[in-house]
Amino acid sequence: MIIFLEFSQLQSTTAICPSLFNATSAQDGILSRMRLPAGLVTSTQCELVTNITNQFGNGEIQITNRGNLQIRTSQALSFDTLLDLQDYGLASSEANTDGLRNIMASPTSGIDPHALINTVPFVKQWNFYLANHPELEILSNKFSVCFDGGETISVSDRPNDICFVAVEFDNEIYFSLHLGLGDRGDSPSAIGRLIYPEQTLQVLAALTEVYREYTEQKLNQANSCARPPRLREMIGNWGVESYLQLVEQKLGYALRRSSLELLSQESKIGIAYHHLGIHSQRQLELAYIGVVIPLGRLTSLQFHGLGDLSRQYGGGALRLTPWQNILITDIAEAQIEQVSQEINDLGLSISANHPYAAIAACSGYKGCKAAFTDTQADAKKVAAHLENCIKLDIPINIHFSGCDKSCAQHHPSDIAFVGIQSKDPNYHEVYKVYVGVGNTDFGRELHSEYSAKDIPNLIIQLLKTYQNQRRDSTQTFREFFNRQGLS
Ligand code: SF4
């Protein structure tokens, strides 16, 4: 491995978006983020992260909604620690491109019986390409790439700049090219081009190179403080077709066109809890277990324990999901019961009906300067209240956002809370409350200002109304409230 660190180099702590070499100073410590392409982390890597967290951190490990790992430490990571992380493959060998967003793939790539193609090799190749192209460091660190192999646990709707979505067309497998054209948080859209799997990396490199040249031009024109443009800004400026023309010039061939209607039929929505519990794999007599990680946070002991289980009974690696949970894969069906029991002994659940299975919260004001509320603490209170007061027979997706940017989730929830600045001086923390689907991105507005302390009781009220008045147990919370008047 080529090491680019210099002896004088320490982790900087001034980044807005954390990485390993540029961490962020937050209220609750120095936040370092490890990119894990496709969310894969081996049991040996789990051991190193556990040791670092125990030695320098607060004993807690967090999974992000791009399948990264985050740790909080009391001081910047030392040179030796960064070298260890590089050595174990947890930091890029090229510090400059380590800050680019994690490469996303379905957590069930390669193991889903219904997938069209295994995308893990594409992720690995693209990661290798990034490590060998330090010139890409000028790109916006929000530049994001995703591969969706047509798995049941789809990731094609997750916000990304470029997404390759496997489709079957004329009895052949292609990737349909999707680009992020809309607003922040929108899913990428099919643009009517099909890519042969063997050309995918070449096409991705050309898409990236045209964007890099645009970025370089813009940065040269602007003053030195200007931020690099996002890919969607470039596309907004040029239009998709002009962008693709330049890409095709670089490639020396035209991309295959296809009708948009046909491709948009392939779009799927990833559901936060469908991967939880026990599921059969493509590989005969093997299964995976999806473990609920409350708000994406677990102790280093639990993390280490899951890593050990994967080594002892599984394929030796964990998969972190964009819904902030963990899969242990490649477990012999005969050992599923034993592994489930050991997960339980670690204080974790595998049930999709667990209150934490479908609760998401952004980092809130302890980790983000834009937040109006302590989303993490409020979500924990709700989960504890649900555990004590009601039995869920169907997962309910509840989402807490500290402001209206909605980093933790980009689709309507069953119930959404959005932190706002209170107009009433007596209210310490308040949220707007939404239910079901409505005319805003968050759903139908139920309350324009609701005190955080009253939220646990409000949720119980809503759930009891739903459980007592729904048509039958197949009617979802969202269907029920979409038909109800709100008063
Ligand atoms: S949703 Fe708002 S408060 Fe929460 S992490 Fe994103 S920017 Fe920060």
Side-chain angles (χ1 to χ4, degrees):
M1 176 184 286
I2 308 162
I3 304 292
F4 285 87
L5 285 178
E6 290 166 16
F7 262 112
S8 57
Q9 187 166 358
L10 283 178
Q11 187 186 44
S12 90
T13 56
T14 53
I16 294 173
C17 221
S19 66
L20 263 181
F21 300 96
N22 290 305
T24 301
S25 294
Q27 233 187 66
D28 51 0
I30 292 170
L31 187 61
S32 301
R33 184 178 291 169
M34 286 158 234
R35 279 171 87 250
L36 298 172
L40 284 163
V41 56
T42 65
S43 51
T44 315
Q45 289 172 327
C46 291
E47 225 170 279
L48 178 69
V49 175
T50 301
N51 290 344
I52 294 173
T53 312
N54 289 345
Q55 214 178 334
F56 307 110
N58 60 1
E60 186 182 81
I61 290 165
Q62 187 185 4
I63 302 165
T64 74
N65 59 3
R66 293 195 67 82
N68 298 291
L69 277 180
Q70 285 188 165
I71 57 170
R72 287 165 174 77
T73 51
S74 52
Q75 47 188 278
L77 297 178
S78 68
F79 175 76
D80 287 350
T81 307
L82 291 173
L83 276 186
D84 280 346
L85 288 163
Q86 279 190 320
D87 209 22
Y88 277 68
L90 282 163
S92 168
S93 57
E94 173 52 70
N96 297 339
T97 48
D98 194 74
L100 291 178
R101 280 199 166 162
N102 197 14
I103 308 164
M104 196 180 275
S106 168
T108 54
S109 42
I111 60 171
D112 183 324
H114 309 292
L116 297 172
I117 193 166
N118 178 8
T119 58
V120 173
F122 295 93
V123 172
K124 288 186 174 167
Q125 285 179 64
W126 183 240
N127 197 44
F128 187 70
Y129 182 93
L130 290 179
N132 286 291
H133 287 79
E135 72 278 10
L136 298 180
E137 71 165 312
I138 62 166
L139 300 182
S140 162
N141 60 10
K142 294 183 165 45
F143 177 57
S144 49
V145 172
C146 174
F147 296 90
D148 183 298
E151 296 85 359
T152 312
I153 312 298
S154 173
V155 285
S156 62
D157 64 318
R158 310 300 295 171
N160 278 292
D161 287 324
I162 300 174
C163 184
F164 292 89
V165 183
V167 289
E168 193 167 358
F169 192 64
D170 287 347
N171 294 323
E172 280 205 69
I173 307 296
Y174 295 88
F175 280 116
S176 160
L177 178 59
H178 290 216
L179 295 175
L181 307 173
D183 286 339
R184 185 180 194 277
D186 285 352
S187 306
S189 316
I191 50 131
R193 296 295 192 283
L194 293 175
I195 318 289
Y196 295 99
E198 58 275 19
Q199 290 174 340
T200 305
L201 268 298
Q202 206 177 38
V203 172
L204 180 52
L207 287 161
T208 307
E209 182 53 18
V210 173
Y211 171 45
R212 189 199 66 78
E213 287 170 3
Y214 177 86
T215 302
E216 193 172 56
Q217 223 178 60
K218 286 287 163 195
L219 292 178
N220 286 342
Q221 283 165 6
N223 62 51
S224 58
C225 305
R227 66 164 178 83
R230 296 290 308 271
L231 184 78
R232 64 168 180 259
E233 290 166 350
M234 181 193 79
I235 298 174
N237 200 355
W238 282 349
V240 174
E241 288 306 319
S242 307
Y243 177 33
L244 292 180
Q245 254 174 31
L246 291 173
V247 170
E248 287 174 345
Q249 270 172 29
K250 282 215 181 292
L251 289 168
Y253 57 84
L255 300 174
R256 178 168 178 180
R257 289 171 183 259
S258 173
S259 100
L260 275 178
E261 291 76 44
L262 189 96
L263 295 177
S264 45
Q265 280 170 18
E266 303 292 335
S267 298
K268 292 189 212 156
I269 303 282
I271 307 285
Y273 42 79
H274 280 178
H275 56 284
L276 297 172
I278 300 160
H279 302 267
S280 296
Q281 290 186 192
R282 170 186 287 261
Q283 295 78 9
L284 222 56
E285 293 177 14
L286 292 184
Y288 74 85
I289 302 183
V291 185
V292 179
I293 305 298
L295 302 177
R297 291 174 188 241
L298 69 174
T299 64
S300 54
L301 195 75
Q302 290 171 324
F303 187 64
H304 191 254
L306 293 179
D308 265 359
L309 289 178
S310 80
R311 179 177 13 222
Q312 207 181 332
Y313 300 103
L318 302 176
R319 297 186 180 209
L320 314 187
T321 80
W323 300 277
Q324 299 174 280
N325 294 312
I326 290 182
L327 310 189
I328 306 179
T329 61
D330 306 310
I331 306 166
E333 279 170 356
Q335 293 184 311
I336 282 287
E337 209 173 306
Q338 174 67 25
V339 180
S340 304
Q341 183 54 49
E342 294 197 30
I343 292 170
N344 202 35
D345 294 345
L346 288 168
L348 294 165
S349 166
I350 64 167
S351 166
N353 290 338
H354 189 277
Y356 272 123
I359 296 187
C362 76
S363 50
Y365 72 55
K366 288 201 180 118
C368 172
K369 293 191 177 83
F372 294 111
T373 50
D374 190 353
T375 51
Q376 293 277 321
D378 294 332
K380 276 183 196 160
K381 279 182 209 148
V382 164
H385 203 60
L386 288 178
E387 257 183 309
N388 293 332
C389 302
I390 204 161
K391 192 165 167 29
L392 296 177
D393 53 2
I394 195 167
I396 305 291
N397 183 222
I398 302 170
H399 175 215
F400 286 84
S401 201
C403 77
D404 62 8
K405 289 188 191 133
S406 190
C407 298
Q409 186 165 301
H410 304 278
H411 289 291
S413 322
D414 293 319
I415 312 172
F417 297 94
V418 180
I420 53 167
Q421 190 145 35
S422 171
K423 294 179 213 112
D424 181 340
N426 294 324
Y427 277 156
H428 183 51
E429 271 195 18
V430 286
Y431 287 90
K432 275 185 189 248
V433 185
Y434 300 86
V435 290
V437 178
N439 53 359
T440 76
D441 286 349
F442 296 102
R444 278 161 88 194
E445 187 177 301
L446 180 62
H447 293 287
S448 60
E449 186 167 331
Y450 205 84
S451 169
K453 69 178 172 35
D454 297 327
I455 285 176
N457 286 335
L458 171 70
I459 291 190
I460 296 293
Q461 248 177 45
L462 290 170
L463 291 179
K464 285 198 167 149
T465 307
Y466 158 65
Q467 287 188 342
N468 294 334
Q469 296 179 25
R470 64 188 170 184
R471 188 186 58 230
D472 55 46
S473 60
T474 64
Q475 188 178 28
T476 65
F477 181 91
R478 196 172 302 178
E479 281 163 4
F480 173 79
F481 271 100
N482 288 345
R483 288 171 177 273
Q484 293 287 307
L486 300 179
S487 54

